[in-house]
Amino acid sequence: MTLTLKLLVISLASIAVFSSMDPERLSDALLSMGVPAQFSFGVSYGYRMLPILIEEYHHLFHSFRLRGRAPLKKGLFGWRSVLYLGGTAVMTFYPLMLNTAKRTRTTVEALEVKGFTYALVSPDAKRLKLAYLRIRPADIVFMAVSLLYMAALFGAGHWISL
């Protein structure tokens, strides 16, 4: 029960942060913490592309279902329907991978035209890119309140366990 609650709290906090944060800001934060530029770009790109890929998968899946013919008899426990939907789900991945490869190639070409490779290794480009990141008073207040809250939780947990 304790492990489940801990995982739930961490998952909810992660979802809250990632759903409200701009991908560019997340990428810049990772870059400023010393994460390699390729990895921070990959996280940012994946964060932007995942909803698009999910939406495209749904469109492809529904188009396969519209063009295909569902089983006339569902069978015991609907096994024919499950088999039909599973086969359709698998067949949907091939066009999705082709579209993703095409989109990735276009993105790589656009990034290379803009000088992305040079920007990854140039300290001047990195300094310019991260120049807007600042620690504001609200950030310090948030960290202080968070630390006090965590200390209170640990203290309460220790006091309750006695």
Side-chain angles (χ1 to χ4, degrees):
M1 179 84 168
T2 305
L3 178 64
T4 305
L5 286 175
K6 287 180 182 178
L7 289 174
L8 177 70
V9 168
I10 291 170
S11 300
L12 288 175
S14 300
I15 289 170
V17 167
F18 285 114
S19 65
S20 63
M21 187 179 283
D22 178 40
E24 187 69 26
R25 222 168 149 77
L26 175 64
S27 172
D28 291 345
L30 290 173
L31 197 59
S32 72
M33 289 189 288
V35 174
Q38 290 90 349
F39 182 79
S40 68
F41 172 74
V43 168
S44 174
Y45 186 72
Y47 186 36
R48 286 182 183 158
M49 292 303 293
L50 193 60
I52 295 169
L53 289 176
I54 290 171
E55 182 180 350
E56 187 172 350
Y57 177 79
H58 285 291
H59 287 299
L60 288 167
F61 183 78
H62 291 306
S63 70
F64 269 101
R65 284 191 64 199
L66 283 172
R67 286 180 278 158
R69 189 176 119 199
L72 297 175
K73 294 182 181 181
K74 296 191 186 291
L76 185 64
F77 299 116
W79 72 271
R80 286 188 182 106
S81 295
V82 170
L83 190 65
Y84 167 72
L85 291 175
T88 303
V90 169
M91 288 189 305
T92 303
F93 276 103
Y94 184 69
L96 180 69
M97 290 302 121
L98 286 176
N99 292 343
T100 303
K102 205 170 22 173
R103 183 178 290 123
T104 303
R105 190 183 77 214
T106 306
T107 303
V108 167
E109 289 170 355
L111 287 171
E112 287 304 318
V113 166
K114 292 181 177 183
F116 179 72
T117 304
Y118 174 73
L120 290 178
V121 295
S122 169
D124 294 332
K126 183 178 178 181
R127 188 174 32 79
L128 280 172
K129 181 176 177 63
L130 303 177
Y132 76 95
L133 294 176
R134 301 274 185 259
I135 296 177
R136 295 180 178 90
D139 299 328
I140 295 171
V141 169
F142 176 77
M143 288 300 293
V145 169
S146 297
L147 289 173
L148 287 173
Y149 181 69
M150 286 178 55
L153 284 178
F154 279 111
H158 180 70
W159 184 73
I160 291 172
S161 67
L162 292 177

